[in-house]
Every structure is written in C-alpha cells, then in structure tokens.
Amino acid sequence: MTHKTPHIITEGGVQYHLGEFRNNEIQYDFEKMLIYLDAKGKLLFGEKFKIHREDRPILYRLCSYFIKDQKRCEKFGIDVDKGILLSGPVGCGKTSLMKLLRYIVPHQRPYEMVPCRNITFSFNHLGYKTIEEFGNTSFFCFDDLGVEPPGRFYGKDCNVMGEVLLSRYDLYLNTKRKIKTHATTNLNARELEERYGNRVRSRMRELFNLVAFDKQSKDKRV
C-alpha cells in the first residue's frame, strides 16, 4: 500500500477497498468502510467484536470526520481541524471505536491512546515533566477523561489533565491548528466543568468536536 492508495488496505491477506479513486480524489463508501472496521475490530478485539446497528449514525459522523469529508462534517457541525471528544455511557464502545478508527486513514498521522489515569499516576511519580510530555506536539487520544484520580506531587495537588489540556490548547493556537487532541469521556458537559473548571471547559470547546452516544446506549461488554 502506498499513500496514493490509502483507501485500499490489506489485513490478514485480504484487500479491503474503502472507496474508489475518481476525479483525482478518493470517493469513500460508508458501507465498505463498515466492512473493513468490522474485520479490523475482530482482529484487534477478538471474534466477539461487531458493529452494532444502533451505532451506525455515530460511526457515520466519525468516519466523515476521519476522512475529512468537509461537506458532511459541515452538515454535522464538525470542524475537521479540531479533535474529537467522544462521550457516552460506560461500556458503549467509545474506547474501542477510537482505537479502531485511526486505521481507516493510514496516510494520516496516527494518534496514541493514553488512559488519563496513567498520566496522573505518572505525574504523581515524576511530577511536572509529565505535563510537559503530554502537552507536546504528539497526537493523543486521552481515554476516560474526568474519572482519573487526583494528582499530587510532593504534597501539592494538581488537576493534571486540566493542565495537560491547557498546554495542548496553547499548542493548538500556536501551530496553525496542526496539533490534534482527542478524548473519550463518560461525563457530560456540566460534570466536565465541575471537574476541570470553567476555563478548561471553554478551552475544550475550542479543542474538540463533541460527538455523543445516546444516554441510553447499552453496555456492550455484558
């Protein structure tokens, strides 16, 4: 596979065509993308993985974002320069989808999935260099934002993820919007504001597109 054919992906000896190359651009096909995501999901997470019918609308939005379909994204109120904040109830599949979706765009710079609790644990052990490490120009998806334990280093409390997000917001402003930050969360907007404060919450609005599962989404882990 070359970057000239990023819509053709080979997994386990099978070639998946996510669309066609026409008029000097890739015309993606959502149904073909779902076939690939289902196959890749089974490779990553096991044979029990499946794309649930009720998740198709949210997947359509996310796929439109990742392939940078400007027209569809505008229709959904999504800014392709911002990251994704994927929210929803526990067990609805947020983490799996964010781990999976990066594979449909192999020509784009990948992001690393990092649990927020690991960042806080690192801070508690190493201190403020952890905030520098994650407030850099790498691409990250911060998993389970808002439920990480408190940060404390040498007797001083720190809202670690709040500081990381502020650092990444500054980078986002000063690098012509090239820095991508994604996150998953079980919390709603009010709960996030309670957790991080109004200043961080307002920065999050500029960093992220909010894409939300239905509050009634079932727990797929049971």
Side-chain angles (χ1 to χ4, degrees):
M1 183 196 72
T2 70
H3 287 345
K4 291 181 180 177
T5 57
H7 60 298
I8 302 172
I9 303 175
T10 302
E11 293 284 356
V14 179
Q15 201 173 71
Y16 295 89
H17 289 245
L18 307 190
E20 296 179 7
F21 196 72
R22 286 198 301 250
N23 300 325
N24 224 23
E25 65 176 17
I26 300 167
Q27 306 284 334
Y28 282 95
D29 183 316
F30 181 58
E31 296 301 326
K32 290 177 179 177
M33 293 168 81
L34 289 183
I35 290 168
Y36 169 71
L37 288 170
D38 186 66
K40 183 66 176 178
K42 285 177 167 59
L43 287 172
L44 287 175
F45 310 119
E47 284 300 315
K48 287 186 177 178
F49 176 86
K50 71 173 185 174
I51 302 289
H52 294 263
R53 177 161 290 279
E54 64 266 27
D55 293 343
R56 286 170 64 106
I58 207 164
L59 267 168
Y60 189 73
R61 291 177 182 228
L62 290 168
C63 284
S64 298
Y65 167 82
F66 277 99
I67 63 173
K68 296 186 177 178
D69 187 324
Q70 293 273 9
K71 283 187 179 177
R72 287 194 183 125
C73 283
E74 282 174 20
K75 179 181 163 189
F76 295 130
I78 291 174
D79 182 340
V80 295
D81 288 325
K82 295 183 180 182
I84 291 289
L85 176 61
L86 187 57
S87 74
V90 173
C92 67
K94 303 180 296 295
T95 301
S96 297
L97 286 187
M98 290 307 287
K99 284 181 177 176
L100 182 58
L101 282 159
R102 54 189 169 175
Y103 291 102
I104 65 173
V105 281
H107 55 303
Q108 291 183 23
R109 184 175 169 185
Y111 52 86
E112 181 185 350
M113 295 284 298
V114 187
C116 292
R117 65 196 305 269
N118 290 10
I119 297 174
T120 302
F121 289 150
S122 174
F123 173 86
N124 291 349
H125 180 59
L126 299 170
Y128 288 87
K129 65 183 276 188
T130 297
I131 292 171
E132 292 174 19
E133 180 185 344
F134 290 100
N136 64 16
T137 55
S138 297
F139 284 19
F140 292 111
C141 179
F142 298 125
D143 195 29
D144 262 347
L145 183 68
V147 293
E148 69 276 2
R152 193 168 178 81
F153 186 68
Y154 278 97
K156 287 189 176 180
D157 293 333
C158 178
N159 193 331
V160 179
M161 287 310 303
E163 292 298 326
V164 168
L165 290 172
L166 287 173
S167 294
R168 295 193 68 80
Y169 170 77
D170 289 340
L171 275 173
Y172 175 75
L173 283 188
N174 296 319
T175 53
K176 296 183 180 174
R177 303 195 169 191
K178 291 176 184 174
I179 302 302
K180 280 280 170 73
T181 306
H182 305 298
T184 71
T185 186
N186 304 330
L187 306 186
N188 60 34
R190 179 183 54 78
E191 291 167 328
L192 285 168
E193 187 162 326
E194 285 174 5
R195 182 75 170 80
Y196 296 113
N198 180 262
R199 180 168 170 243
V200 174
R201 177 69 189 125
S202 69
R203 302 293 188 272
M204 288 175 70
R205 290 189 189 96
E206 296 182 61
L207 265 182
F208 298 119
N209 297 286
L210 176 61
V211 179
F213 277 87
D214 189 281
K215 291 176 186 174
Q216 307 305 318
S217 292
K218 64 185 180 183
D219 190 335
K220 299 178 179 73
R221 301 172 303 177
V222 293

